[in-house]
C-alpha cells in the first residue's frame, strides 16, 4: 500500500530511540523527509544517517529539550529551515517518573506540565498556521493506555496526559476542515529503554529476573506479551499518510488489548 508519504516533511520529537524512533523509522521507509529531535546532537546524527540509509528522502537531527519552552520555537524554526516546512509533527518526550496520586507533588506537576502539555502545545501552535494555510497537516501525540485506563503507579502521566488529550480533541475540531488531522497513538507496554528500566526496578524489588518481570507485565494484556516498537511505528505512518486523511480527534490503541474499555 502506498501511504502517500513520499516527499512529505516530518518532524518527530523524542525520536532518538523508543516509540518516537519507531514512528520516524516507519515514515522514513516510505520516502519522507524526516527531522528527528531529542537532547543530544550525536545520537540524532546517528539516527538521521540510519533513516537516510533506510529510505528517507533526507534526514536531519536537531537537538531540543522539552523542559525549555523556548527550545520549541527554535526547533520548529530550524526544522522549517532545513526541510522547507513541516507537514507532519510527532509530539513525544520521555515519560515522567512513577508515583501514586497521593505522592504527587506540586513541583512534580509543574515540571512535567512543561514536558507533557506546554511544550507540545507551543510547538504545535507555531507550526499549525502553515499546515492550515497549505490545507494539509498531521499531528500525532505519543500517548499512553493510561489516558483511557489510569495506571495506579503513573499518576503524573495519567493526570497530565488527560490535559493534552483534551487539548488535542478540542483543536482537532478547529482545524479538520483545513485538512489537518490530530490523533493520539496510545501504546500499551512496548519494549523500549523506558520499559526495560522500569521493569529492572520492579524486578529488583520483587527479587525476580528482568525477563520474568517483563513476562509478567506482558500477561497484563490479552496478547500475553510486551509489544515491539516495530508493531507501533507503522500505525504512526498510516496516520501520517494520505491513508489517515479522515481519521482525526481519535485515540488509536496499540496495546495488545490491554485497555478493556469499549470506547
Ligand atoms: N514504551 C511504552 O510501553 C510506553 C507505554 C506508555 C507510554 N509511553 C510513553 O511514551 C513516551 C516515549 O516512551 P519510550 O518508551 O519510547 O521512552 P524512551 O525509550 O525513554 O525514549 C524517550 C525519547 O524521548 C527523548 N527525551 C527524553 N527526555 C527529553 C527531553 N527532556 N527533551 C527532549 N527529548 C527528550 C529521548 O531522547 P534523549 O534521551 O536522547 O533526549 C528519547 O528519544 C514516554 O512519554 C512514555 O511515558 C511509553
Amino acid at each position: 500500500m502506498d501511504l502517500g508519504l513520499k516527499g512529505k516533511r516530518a518532524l518527530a520529537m523524542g525520536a532518538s530511540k523508543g516509540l518516537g524512533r519507531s514512528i520516524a523509522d516507519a515514515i522514513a521507509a516510505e520516502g519522507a523527509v524526516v527531522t528527528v529531535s531529542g537532547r543530544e546532537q550525536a545520537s540524532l546524527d546517528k539516527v538521521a544517517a540510519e533513516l537516510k540509509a533506510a529510505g528517507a528522502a533526507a534526514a536531519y537531527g536537531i537537538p531540543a529539550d522539552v523542559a525549555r519552552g523556548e527550545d520549541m520555537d527554535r526547533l520548529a524554526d530550524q526544522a522549517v529551515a532545513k526541510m522547507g516546512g513541516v507537514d507532519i509533527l510527532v509530539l513525544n518526550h520521555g515519560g515522567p517518573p512513577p508515583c501514586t496520586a497521593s505522592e504527587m507533588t506540586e513541583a512534580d506537576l509543574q515540571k512535567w506540565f512543561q514536558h507533557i502539555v506546554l511544550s507540545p502545545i507551543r510547538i504545535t501552535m507555531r507550526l499549525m498556521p502553515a499546515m492550515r494555510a497549505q490545507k494539509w497537516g498531521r499531528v500525532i501525540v505519543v500517548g499512553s493506555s493510561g489516558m483511557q485506563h489510569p495506571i495506579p503507579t503513573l499518576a503524573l502521566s495519567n493526570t497530565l496526559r488527560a490535559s493534552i488529550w483534551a487539548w488535542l480533541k478540542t483543536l482537532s475540531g478547529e482545524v479538520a476542515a483545513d485538512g489537518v488531522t490530530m490523533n493520539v497513538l496510545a501504546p500499551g507496554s512496548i519494549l523500549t529503554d523506558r520499559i526495560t528500566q522500569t521493569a529492572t526496578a520492579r524486578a529488583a524489588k520483587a527479587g525476580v529476573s528482568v525477563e520474568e518481570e517483563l513476562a509478567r507485565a506482558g500477561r497484563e494484556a490479552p496478547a500475553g506479551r510486551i509489544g515491539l516498537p516495530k508493531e507501533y511505528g507503522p500505525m504512526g505512518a498510516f496516520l501520517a499518510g494520505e491513508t489517515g486523511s479522515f481519521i482525526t480527534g481519535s485515540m488509536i490503541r496499540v496495546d495488545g488489548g490491554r485497555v478493556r474499555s469499549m470506547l
Side-chain angles (χ1 to χ4, degrees):
M1 185 192 295
D2 180 3
L3 304 186
L5 279 166
K6 271 187 196 60
K8 291 287 186 212
R9 301 157 300 184
L11 168 58
M13 295 168 61
S16 65
K17 59 182 181 176
L19 300 181
R21 166 81 197 256
S22 76
I23 298 176
D25 280 341
I27 290 175
E30 296 293 317
V33 179
V34 183
T35 295
V36 285
S37 188
R39 287 167 298 181
E40 284 176 16
Q41 185 74 64
S43 59
L44 297 171
D45 287 345
K46 185 167 174 287
V47 172
E50 288 167 5
L51 295 180
K52 184 83 180 59
Y60 310 97
I62 302 176
D65 190 338
V66 294
R68 292 197 292 260
E70 62 275 18
D71 273 23
M72 299 299 100
D73 300 344
R74 180 182 51 76
L75 173 59
D77 295 350
Q78 289 183 346
V80 168
K82 288 261 186 226
M83 301 193 289
V86 172
D87 306 305
I88 299 157
L89 175 61
V90 179
L91 298 169
N92 184 37
H93 44 73
C99 69
T100 64
S102 311
E103 290 164 351
M104 200 165 66
T105 68
E106 194 172 322
D108 288 337
L109 276 170
Q110 277 173 344
K111 172 180 171 183
W112 287 96
F113 188 61
Q114 182 70 49
H115 288 232
I116 297 176
V117 183
L118 293 180
S119 285
I121 291 177
R122 183 160 171 170
I123 193 164
T124 303
M125 296 323 288
R126 199 162 180 100
L127 294 168
M128 184 58 76
M131 287 187 188
R132 294 183 78 173
Q134 70 180 11
K135 303 289 179 202
W136 204 99
R138 302 282 187 266
V139 178
I140 298 168
V141 167
V142 173
S144 167
S145 61
M147 294 162 90
Q148 283 191 294
H149 183 169
I151 301 165
T153 52
L154 289 178
L156 271 171
S157 171
N158 300 336
T159 305
L160 297 170
R161 289 189 206 273
S163 183
I164 198 76
W165 174 212
W167 163 79
L168 178 146
K169 186 71 187 166
T170 311
L171 183 60
S172 68
E174 296 171 22
V175 301
D178 289 330
V180 180
T181 71
M182 301 183 72
N183 294 288
V184 174
L185 191 51
S189 279
I190 314 265
L191 192 60
T192 62
D193 284 1
R194 174 175 166 83
I195 289 298
T196 308
Q197 280 157 14
T198 52
T200 303
R202 287 196 309 271
K205 236 179 183 172
V208 297
S209 70
V210 179
E211 291 69 29
E212 281 172 312
E213 174 51 25
L214 284 171
R216 187 210 55 77
R219 287 193 294 274
E220 287 177 4
R225 63 176 176 85
I226 302 273
L228 299 173
K230 69 177 184 192
E231 297 176 296
Y232 178 84
M235 183 53 81
F238 185 89
L239 291 172
E242 294 297 348
T243 36
S245 57
F246 203 55
I247 306 170
T248 196
S250 288
M251 186 181 301
I252 287 96
R253 301 193 289 250
V254 181
D255 69 349
R258 182 186 173 117
V259 173
R260 309 286 177 135
S261 154
M262 291 170 72
L263 297 173

